[in-house]
Amino acid sequence: MERARPAQDEQTHRTEQWSTVKRLQWPSWMPIDPYILLLLGTVGLAALFPASGTGADVASGATTAAIAFLFFLYGARLSTREAVEGLKHWRLHGTVLVCTFVVFPLLGLAARGLEPALLTHDLYTGLLFLTLVPSTIQSSIAFTSIARGNVPAAICAGSFSSLAGIVLTPLLAAALLGNSGGGFSPDSLVRIVLQLLVPFVAGQLLRPWIGAFITRHKKVLGHVDRGSILLVVYTAFSEGMVQGIWHQVSAVRLAGLLVVEALLLGVMLLLTWYGAKALRFGREDRIAIQFAGSKKSLASGLPMAGVLFGAHASLAVLPLMLFHQMQLMVCAVIAKRRARDPEATGPAGPDQPSGTGGATGTGGGSGTRGPAGAGGTAGSARSRVSPVATSRIAVGTGTRSG
């Protein structure tokens, strides 16, 4: 049985947790994530000055190295011990994984009936691919905190989804896409292993020696993360421009894609919220499940698409880029409304976290809600991983755009 933490020490931990989450959020007055603007600018640069000939070979080689280094950093940042401790809330994490890698792909397969009437073959392939990538990390944490949900659970759920995605996304792509993804083939699994999984495992193995260095320079290395993804986008869209594939996409088709993605996001938001309620999760856990189980990671999806699709990656990543911005804007509105729910009000006030307490027990089922700040017996049992420790899992495991 854990020793009771003094009230002052508990308040310090809650304050540190809230400070960490606040640093992950972008200004509320800005409707678009600044990193999305950089991505759009990179697409524009590729349209005006596409890499070709020797320049394309150099860009392709640099992209390969950047992706490998990106996943090496992912491995070096993730604390295996803290991730394993987070598995104690296995029902919640299992629910998020099922939403991410089972429900999402099933909805993607159901959308096949929209081809070719509403979506072209390439756009549908990109839509199906976006349903296969893992969930976000940092935006899930930020929205869960704003809505006064279970922040430690959101941290662990996003981290587990990213880990599982390194293996599950290529396997699902091989099973569901086959050779229909343009340049995708089972040989891509070998490239995934060499370019993503091997660097990730190497980062994990070297973490005892380089972990402290990575932590000290996490801000600089965060720029390396984002720069690597911008390079992936530039290379992919440059190849698309050289091959002239953009002439295959009309404004009507893009509008149709946005409608389909809006329906996909709406269905997942409803399923994660009411499905979690049917599974008897408490309010805080339902919030974490909704935000972690309804979103897709641009940070993980773009590098994977570059490896899996090669020269055909430009149209494959377009649905993911559009869906990512849509989910940020919609979830921001939902999170603010959840924060104003009568259930969310407590002594901590509407703009502060109510602690790690919740309405669930260790298994994720419903229980009694403890007082804000203390969390109650059930909430304490659920959140064995300290907020400060679990916050370290999220720092640097994905870009700011999630």
Short mmCIF file of all heavy atoms in Angstrom, two decimals, residues 200-255:
data_model
loop_
_atom_site.label_atom_id
_atom_site.label_comp_id
_atom_site.label_asym_id
_atom_site.label_seq_id
_atom_site.Cartn_x
_atom_site.Cartn_y
_atom_site.Cartn_z
N PHE A 200 14.77 2.61 -34.05
CA PHE A 200 14.03 2.76 -32.80
C PHE A 200 14.61 1.86 -31.72
O PHE A 200 14.83 2.29 -30.58
CB PHE A 200 12.55 2.42 -33.03
CG PHE A 200 11.70 2.56 -31.80
CD1 PHE A 200 11.14 3.78 -31.46
CD2 PHE A 200 11.47 1.48 -30.96
CE1 PHE A 200 10.36 3.91 -30.32
CE2 PHE A 200 10.70 1.59 -29.82
CZ PHE A 200 10.14 2.83 -29.50
N VAL A 201 14.86 0.59 -32.05
CA VAL A 201 15.43 -0.34 -31.08
C VAL A 201 16.83 0.12 -30.67
O VAL A 201 17.20 0.04 -29.49
CB VAL A 201 15.48 -1.77 -31.67
CG1 VAL A 201 16.24 -2.71 -30.74
CG2 VAL A 201 14.07 -2.28 -31.90
N ALA A 202 17.60 0.64 -31.62
CA ALA A 202 18.94 1.14 -31.30
C ALA A 202 18.86 2.29 -30.31
O ALA A 202 19.67 2.40 -29.37
CB ALA A 202 19.66 1.58 -32.57
N GLY A 203 17.87 3.18 -30.50
CA GLY A 203 17.69 4.28 -29.56
C GLY A 203 17.34 3.79 -28.17
O GLY A 203 17.84 4.32 -27.17
N GLN A 204 16.48 2.75 -28.08
CA GLN A 204 16.14 2.18 -26.79
C GLN A 204 17.36 1.57 -26.10
O GLN A 204 17.57 1.75 -24.89
CB GLN A 204 15.06 1.10 -26.98
CG GLN A 204 13.65 1.64 -27.06
CD GLN A 204 13.08 1.98 -25.69
OE1 GLN A 204 12.69 1.10 -24.93
NE2 GLN A 204 13.02 3.26 -25.38
N LEU A 205 18.17 0.86 -26.87
CA LEU A 205 19.35 0.20 -26.29
C LEU A 205 20.39 1.22 -25.82
O LEU A 205 21.08 0.99 -24.82
CB LEU A 205 19.97 -0.74 -27.32
CG LEU A 205 19.12 -1.96 -27.72
CD1 LEU A 205 19.82 -2.76 -28.82
CD2 LEU A 205 18.83 -2.85 -26.52
N LEU A 206 20.49 2.34 -26.52
CA LEU A 206 21.49 3.35 -26.17
C LEU A 206 20.96 4.38 -25.17
O LEU A 206 21.72 5.26 -24.73
CB LEU A 206 21.98 4.08 -27.43
CG LEU A 206 22.78 3.22 -28.42
CD1 LEU A 206 23.11 4.02 -29.66
CD2 LEU A 206 24.07 2.72 -27.76
N ARG A 207 19.69 4.29 -24.82
CA ARG A 207 19.10 5.27 -23.92
C ARG A 207 19.84 5.43 -22.60
O ARG A 207 20.00 6.57 -22.12
CB ARG A 207 17.63 4.91 -23.67
CG ARG A 207 16.96 5.83 -22.67
CD ARG A 207 15.49 5.50 -22.46
NE ARG A 207 14.97 6.19 -21.29
CZ ARG A 207 14.62 7.47 -21.26
NH1 ARG A 207 14.72 8.19 -22.36
NH2 ARG A 207 14.18 8.01 -20.15
N PRO A 208 20.34 4.34 -21.96
CA PRO A 208 21.06 4.53 -20.69
C PRO A 208 22.26 5.46 -20.80
O PRO A 208 22.66 6.09 -19.83
CB PRO A 208 21.48 3.10 -20.31
CG PRO A 208 20.47 2.23 -20.97
CD PRO A 208 20.17 2.91 -22.27
N TRP A 209 22.86 5.53 -21.98
CA TRP A 209 24.06 6.36 -22.16
C TRP A 209 23.76 7.73 -22.75
O TRP A 209 24.47 8.69 -22.49
CB TRP A 209 25.04 5.63 -23.08
CG TRP A 209 25.59 4.38 -22.46
CD1 TRP A 209 26.63 4.26 -21.57
CD2 TRP A 209 25.08 3.06 -22.63
NE1 TRP A 209 26.81 2.96 -21.20
CE2 TRP A 209 25.88 2.19 -21.83
CE3 TRP A 209 24.05 2.50 -23.38
CZ2 TRP A 209 25.65 0.82 -21.77
CZ3 TRP A 209 23.82 1.14 -23.32
CH2 TRP A 209 24.61 0.31 -22.52
N ILE A 210 22.71 7.85 -23.57
CA ILE A 210 22.44 9.12 -24.25
C ILE A 210 21.15 9.78 -23.78
O ILE A 210 20.83 10.88 -24.22
CB ILE A 210 22.38 8.93 -25.78
CG1 ILE A 210 21.18 8.04 -26.16
CG2 ILE A 210 23.67 8.32 -26.31
CD1 ILE A 210 20.98 7.91 -27.66
N GLY A 211 20.41 9.11 -22.87
CA GLY A 211 19.13 9.66 -22.43
C GLY A 211 19.25 11.03 -21.80
O GLY A 211 18.44 11.92 -22.07
N ALA A 212 20.27 11.23 -20.96
CA ALA A 212 20.44 12.52 -20.30
C ALA A 212 20.75 13.62 -21.32
O ALA A 212 20.23 14.74 -21.22
CB ALA A 212 21.57 12.43 -19.27
N PHE A 213 21.58 13.30 -22.31
CA PHE A 213 21.90 14.27 -23.37
C PHE A 213 20.65 14.64 -24.16
O PHE A 213 20.41 15.81 -24.47
CB PHE A 213 22.96 13.68 -24.31
CG PHE A 213 23.30 14.56 -25.48
CD1 PHE A 213 24.23 15.56 -25.36
CD2 PHE A 213 22.66 14.38 -26.71
CE1 PHE A 213 24.54 16.39 -26.44
CE2 PHE A 213 22.96 15.19 -27.79
CZ PHE A 213 23.90 16.19 -27.65
N ILE A 214 19.83 13.63 -24.50
CA ILE A 214 18.60 13.87 -25.25
C ILE A 214 17.67 14.79 -24.46
O ILE A 214 17.06 15.72 -25.01
CB ILE A 214 17.88 12.54 -25.55
CG1 ILE A 214 18.73 11.66 -26.48
CG2 ILE A 214 16.51 12.78 -26.15
CD1 ILE A 214 18.89 12.18 -27.86
N THR A 215 17.57 14.57 -23.14
CA THR A 215 16.70 15.38 -22.30
C THR A 215 17.19 16.82 -22.23
O THR A 215 16.40 17.76 -22.30
CB THR A 215 16.63 14.79 -20.88
OG1 THR A 215 16.14 13.44 -20.95
CG2 THR A 215 15.71 15.61 -19.99
N ARG A 216 18.51 17.01 -22.09
CA ARG A 216 19.07 18.37 -21.99
C ARG A 216 18.85 19.16 -23.28
O ARG A 216 18.71 20.38 -23.24
CB ARG A 216 20.56 18.32 -21.65
CG ARG A 216 20.87 17.89 -20.23
CD ARG A 216 22.31 18.23 -19.87
NE ARG A 216 23.25 17.65 -20.81
CZ ARG A 216 23.82 16.45 -20.67
NH1 ARG A 216 23.48 15.70 -19.61
NH2 ARG A 216 24.66 15.99 -21.54
N HIS A 217 18.86 18.49 -24.41
CA HIS A 217 18.77 19.18 -25.70
C HIS A 217 17.45 18.89 -26.40
O HIS A 217 17.38 18.90 -27.64
CB HIS A 217 19.94 18.76 -26.59
CG HIS A 217 21.29 19.11 -26.04
ND1 HIS A 217 21.96 18.28 -25.16
CD2 HIS A 217 22.09 20.20 -26.21
CE1 HIS A 217 23.12 18.83 -24.83
NE2 HIS A 217 23.22 20.00 -25.45
N LYS A 218 16.38 18.64 -25.62
CA LYS A 218 15.12 18.23 -26.24
C LYS A 218 14.53 19.34 -27.11
O LYS A 218 13.84 19.05 -28.10
CB LYS A 218 14.12 17.82 -25.16
CG LYS A 218 13.78 18.91 -24.16
CD LYS A 218 12.88 18.35 -23.05
CE LYS A 218 12.57 19.41 -22.01
NZ LYS A 218 11.76 18.87 -20.90
N LYS A 219 14.78 20.61 -26.77
CA LYS A 219 14.23 21.69 -27.58
C LYS A 219 14.87 21.74 -28.96
O LYS A 219 14.18 21.84 -29.97
CB LYS A 219 14.43 23.04 -26.86
CG LYS A 219 13.78 24.21 -27.60
CD LYS A 219 13.90 25.49 -26.80
CE LYS A 219 13.21 26.65 -27.50
NZ LYS A 219 13.31 27.91 -26.72
N VAL A 220 16.20 21.62 -29.00
CA VAL A 220 16.91 21.62 -30.28
C VAL A 220 16.52 20.40 -31.10
O VAL A 220 16.26 20.48 -32.30
CB VAL A 220 18.43 21.66 -30.06
CG1 VAL A 220 19.17 21.52 -31.38
CG2 VAL A 220 18.83 22.96 -29.37
N LEU A 221 16.47 19.24 -30.45
CA LEU A 221 16.13 18.01 -31.15
C LEU A 221 14.68 18.01 -31.61
O LEU A 221 14.34 17.34 -32.59
CB LEU A 221 16.39 16.80 -30.24
CG LEU A 221 17.87 16.55 -29.92
CD1 LEU A 221 18.02 15.42 -28.92
CD2 LEU A 221 18.65 16.23 -31.20
N GLY A 222 13.82 18.77 -30.93
CA GLY A 222 12.44 18.92 -31.40
C GLY A 222 12.38 19.59 -32.76
O GLY A 222 11.57 19.24 -33.61
N HIS A 223 13.28 20.57 -32.97
CA HIS A 223 13.37 21.21 -34.29
C HIS A 223 13.86 20.21 -35.34
O HIS A 223 13.44 20.27 -36.50
CB HIS A 223 14.31 22.41 -34.23
CG HIS A 223 13.80 23.53 -33.37
ND1 HIS A 223 12.57 24.11 -33.56
CD2 HIS A 223 14.35 24.18 -32.31
CE1 HIS A 223 12.38 25.07 -32.67
NE2 HIS A 223 13.45 25.13 -31.89
N VAL A 224 14.74 19.30 -34.93
CA VAL A 224 15.20 18.25 -35.85
C VAL A 224 14.03 17.36 -36.26
O VAL A 224 13.88 16.99 -37.43
CB VAL A 224 16.32 17.41 -35.20
CG1 VAL A 224 16.70 16.23 -36.10
CG2 VAL A 224 17.55 18.28 -34.93
N ASP A 225 13.17 17.02 -35.29
CA ASP A 225 11.96 16.24 -35.59
C ASP A 225 11.15 16.90 -36.69
O ASP A 225 10.83 16.30 -37.71
CB ASP A 225 11.08 16.13 -34.34
CG ASP A 225 11.63 15.14 -33.33
OD1 ASP A 225 12.68 14.55 -33.61
OD2 ASP A 225 11.01 14.98 -32.28
N ARG A 226 10.80 18.15 -36.44
CA ARG A 226 9.92 18.85 -37.37
C ARG A 226 10.59 19.08 -38.72
O ARG A 226 9.95 18.98 -39.76
CB ARG A 226 9.46 20.16 -36.75
CG ARG A 226 8.54 19.96 -35.54
CD ARG A 226 7.98 21.26 -35.02
NE ARG A 226 8.96 22.03 -34.27
CZ ARG A 226 9.19 21.88 -32.99
NH1 ARG A 226 8.53 20.98 -32.30
NH2 ARG A 226 10.08 22.62 -32.37
N GLY A 227 11.89 19.36 -38.68
CA GLY A 227 12.62 19.53 -39.94
C GLY A 227 12.65 18.26 -40.76
O GLY A 227 12.55 18.29 -41.99
N SER A 228 12.78 17.11 -40.10
CA SER A 228 12.79 15.83 -40.81
C SER A 228 11.47 15.59 -41.52
O SER A 228 11.44 15.14 -42.67
CB SER A 228 13.07 14.69 -39.82
OG SER A 228 14.33 14.85 -39.20
N ILE A 229 10.37 15.90 -40.85
CA ILE A 229 9.06 15.69 -41.45
C ILE A 229 8.82 16.65 -42.60
O ILE A 229 8.24 16.28 -43.64
CB ILE A 229 7.97 15.82 -40.38
CG1 ILE A 229 8.11 14.68 -39.35
CG2 ILE A 229 6.57 15.80 -40.99
CD1 ILE A 229 7.20 14.80 -38.17
N LEU A 230 9.28 17.88 -42.46
CA LEU A 230 9.17 18.83 -43.58
C LEU A 230 9.95 18.33 -44.80
O LEU A 230 9.50 18.49 -45.94
CB LEU A 230 9.69 20.20 -43.15
CG LEU A 230 8.85 20.94 -42.11
CD1 LEU A 230 9.53 22.25 -41.69
CD2 LEU A 230 7.45 21.24 -42.64
N LEU A 231 11.11 17.71 -44.56
CA LEU A 231 11.90 17.16 -45.66
C LEU A 231 11.15 16.01 -46.34
O LEU A 231 11.17 15.88 -47.57
CB LEU A 231 13.25 16.68 -45.14
CG LEU A 231 14.24 16.12 -46.17
CD1 LEU A 231 14.53 17.15 -47.26
CD2 LEU A 231 15.53 15.69 -45.48
N VAL A 232 10.49 15.18 -45.54
CA VAL A 232 9.68 14.08 -46.10
C VAL A 232 8.58 14.64 -46.99
O VAL A 232 8.35 14.15 -48.10
CB VAL A 232 9.08 13.22 -44.97
CG1 VAL A 232 8.07 12.23 -45.53
CG2 VAL A 232 10.17 12.49 -44.21
N VAL A 233 7.88 15.69 -46.51
CA VAL A 233 6.80 16.28 -47.28
C VAL A 233 7.33 16.89 -48.58
O VAL A 233 6.75 16.70 -49.66
CB VAL A 233 6.08 17.35 -46.44
CG1 VAL A 233 5.09 18.14 -47.29
CG2 VAL A 233 5.36 16.71 -45.27
N TYR A 234 8.45 17.60 -48.50
CA TYR A 234 9.01 18.23 -49.70
C TYR A 234 9.39 17.19 -50.74
O TYR A 234 9.09 17.33 -51.93
CB TYR A 234 10.24 19.07 -49.33
CG TYR A 234 10.94 19.65 -50.54
CD1 TYR A 234 10.40 20.75 -51.21
CD2 TYR A 234 12.12 19.09 -51.03
CE1 TYR A 234 11.02 21.27 -52.34
CE2 TYR A 234 12.74 19.60 -52.15
CZ TYR A 234 12.19 20.69 -52.80
OH TYR A 234 12.80 21.20 -53.92
N THR A 235 10.05 16.13 -50.31
CA THR A 235 10.47 15.08 -51.25
C THR A 235 9.27 14.40 -51.89
O THR A 235 9.24 14.18 -53.11
CB THR A 235 11.33 14.03 -50.52
OG1 THR A 235 12.46 14.68 -49.93
CG2 THR A 235 11.83 12.97 -51.49
N ALA A 236 8.26 14.06 -51.07
CA ALA A 236 7.08 13.37 -51.59
C ALA A 236 6.32 14.22 -52.59
O ALA A 236 5.95 13.75 -53.68
CB ALA A 236 6.16 12.97 -50.43
N PHE A 237 6.10 15.49 -52.27
CA PHE A 237 5.33 16.34 -53.17
C PHE A 237 6.15 16.76 -54.38
O PHE A 237 5.58 17.02 -55.45
CB PHE A 237 4.80 17.56 -52.41
CG PHE A 237 3.56 17.26 -51.62
CD1 PHE A 237 3.64 16.76 -50.34
CD2 PHE A 237 2.31 17.46 -52.17
CE1 PHE A 237 2.50 16.46 -49.61
CE2 PHE A 237 1.16 17.17 -51.45
CZ PHE A 237 1.25 16.66 -50.17
N SER A 238 7.46 16.81 -54.26
CA SER A 238 8.30 17.07 -55.43
C SER A 238 8.16 15.95 -56.44
O SER A 238 8.02 16.18 -57.65
CB SER A 238 9.77 17.21 -55.00
OG SER A 238 9.99 18.41 -54.30
N GLU A 239 8.21 14.71 -55.97
CA GLU A 239 8.06 13.57 -56.86
C GLU A 239 6.68 13.57 -57.52
O GLU A 239 6.54 13.22 -58.69
CB GLU A 239 8.29 12.27 -56.09
CG GLU A 239 9.73 12.09 -55.63
CD GLU A 239 9.91 10.89 -54.71
OE1 GLU A 239 8.89 10.39 -54.18
OE2 GLU A 239 11.06 10.47 -54.52
N GLY A 240 5.68 13.98 -56.76
CA GLY A 240 4.34 14.07 -57.33
C GLY A 240 4.25 15.11 -58.43
O GLY A 240 3.60 14.89 -59.46
N MET A 241 4.90 16.24 -58.23
CA MET A 241 4.90 17.29 -59.25
C MET A 241 5.63 16.84 -60.50
O MET A 241 5.16 17.08 -61.63
CB MET A 241 5.57 18.55 -58.68
CG MET A 241 4.76 19.27 -57.62
SD MET A 241 3.16 19.88 -58.22
CE MET A 241 3.70 21.02 -59.50
N VAL A 242 6.77 16.19 -60.34
CA VAL A 242 7.55 15.73 -61.50
C VAL A 242 6.75 14.72 -62.31
O VAL A 242 6.78 14.72 -63.55
CB VAL A 242 8.89 15.13 -61.03
CG1 VAL A 242 9.61 14.45 -62.19
CG2 VAL A 242 9.78 16.21 -60.42
N GLN A 243 6.00 13.84 -61.63
CA GLN A 243 5.22 12.82 -62.32
C GLN A 243 3.86 13.33 -62.80
O GLN A 243 3.15 12.64 -63.52
CB GLN A 243 5.00 11.62 -61.39
CG GLN A 243 6.28 10.90 -61.04
CD GLN A 243 6.03 9.71 -60.12
OE1 GLN A 243 4.89 9.32 -59.91
NE2 GLN A 243 7.09 9.14 -59.59
N GLY A 244 3.50 14.55 -62.41
CA GLY A 244 2.25 15.14 -62.89
C GLY A 244 1.00 14.53 -62.30
O GLY A 244 -0.09 14.67 -62.88
N ILE A 245 1.10 13.90 -61.12
CA ILE A 245 -0.07 13.23 -60.58
C ILE A 245 -1.09 14.21 -60.02
O ILE A 245 -2.26 13.85 -59.83
CB ILE A 245 0.33 12.22 -59.49
CG1 ILE A 245 1.00 12.94 -58.31
CG2 ILE A 245 1.23 11.14 -60.03
CD1 ILE A 245 1.29 12.01 -57.15
N TRP A 246 -0.68 15.45 -59.79
CA TRP A 246 -1.62 16.42 -59.22
C TRP A 246 -2.70 16.82 -60.22
O TRP A 246 -3.75 17.33 -59.83
CB TRP A 246 -0.88 17.65 -58.72
CG TRP A 246 -0.19 17.39 -57.43
CD1 TRP A 246 1.14 17.21 -57.23
CD2 TRP A 246 -0.80 17.21 -56.16
NE1 TRP A 246 1.40 16.95 -55.91
CE2 TRP A 246 0.23 16.93 -55.23
CE3 TRP A 246 -2.12 17.25 -55.71
CZ2 TRP A 246 -0.02 16.71 -53.89
CZ3 TRP A 246 -2.37 17.03 -54.37
CH2 TRP A 246 -1.33 16.77 -53.48
N HIS A 247 -2.45 16.57 -61.49
CA HIS A 247 -3.47 16.88 -62.49
C HIS A 247 -4.65 15.91 -62.40
O HIS A 247 -5.69 16.14 -63.01
CB HIS A 247 -2.86 16.84 -63.90
CG HIS A 247 -1.79 17.86 -64.11
ND1 HIS A 247 -2.04 19.22 -64.08
CD2 HIS A 247 -0.45 17.73 -64.34
CE1 HIS A 247 -0.92 19.88 -64.30
NE2 HIS A 247 0.07 19.00 -64.44
N GLN A 248 -4.46 14.82 -61.65
CA GLN A 248 -5.52 13.83 -61.50
C GLN A 248 -6.53 14.20 -60.42
O GLN A 248 -7.56 13.53 -60.28
CB GLN A 248 -4.90 12.47 -61.15
CG GLN A 248 -3.83 11.99 -62.11
CD GLN A 248 -3.11 10.76 -61.60
OE1 GLN A 248 -3.59 10.07 -60.71
NE2 GLN A 248 -1.94 10.49 -62.15
N VAL A 249 -6.24 15.25 -59.63
CA VAL A 249 -7.09 15.62 -58.51
C VAL A 249 -7.77 16.96 -58.79
O VAL A 249 -7.09 17.97 -58.97
CB VAL A 249 -6.29 15.71 -57.20
CG1 VAL A 249 -7.21 16.01 -56.04
CG2 VAL A 249 -5.53 14.41 -56.96
N SER A 250 -9.07 16.96 -58.83
CA SER A 250 -9.83 18.19 -59.07
C SER A 250 -10.33 18.76 -57.75
O SER A 250 -10.30 18.10 -56.71
CB SER A 250 -11.02 17.90 -59.99
OG SER A 250 -11.94 17.04 -59.36
N ALA A 251 -10.80 20.00 -57.81
CA ALA A 251 -11.35 20.65 -56.62
C ALA A 251 -12.57 19.90 -56.10
O ALA A 251 -12.80 19.82 -54.88
CB ALA A 251 -11.70 22.10 -56.94
N VAL A 252 -13.37 19.33 -57.01
CA VAL A 252 -14.55 18.58 -56.60
C VAL A 252 -14.14 17.33 -55.82
O VAL A 252 -14.76 16.98 -54.81
CB VAL A 252 -15.39 18.20 -57.84
CG1 VAL A 252 -16.56 17.30 -57.43
CG2 VAL A 252 -15.91 19.45 -58.54
N ARG A 253 -13.09 16.66 -56.29
CA ARG A 253 -12.61 15.47 -55.59
C ARG A 253 -12.08 15.82 -54.20
O ARG A 253 -12.31 15.09 -53.23
CB ARG A 253 -11.50 14.79 -56.40
CG ARG A 253 -11.95 14.25 -57.74
CD ARG A 253 -12.83 13.02 -57.57
NE ARG A 253 -13.06 12.36 -58.85
CZ ARG A 253 -13.78 11.25 -58.98
NH1 ARG A 253 -14.33 10.68 -57.92
NH2 ARG A 253 -13.95 10.71 -60.17
N LEU A 254 -11.37 16.94 -54.09
CA LEU A 254 -10.85 17.36 -52.79
C LEU A 254 -12.00 17.71 -51.84
O LEU A 254 -11.95 17.39 -50.64
CB LEU A 254 -9.92 18.56 -52.96
CG LEU A 254 -8.54 18.27 -53.56
CD1 LEU A 254 -7.76 19.57 -53.73
CD2 LEU A 254 -7.76 17.30 -52.69
N ALA A 255 -13.03 18.36 -52.38
CA ALA A 255 -14.19 18.67 -51.54
C ALA A 255 -14.86 17.39 -51.06
O ALA A 255 -15.28 17.28 -49.90
CB ALA A 255 -15.18 19.54 -52.32
#
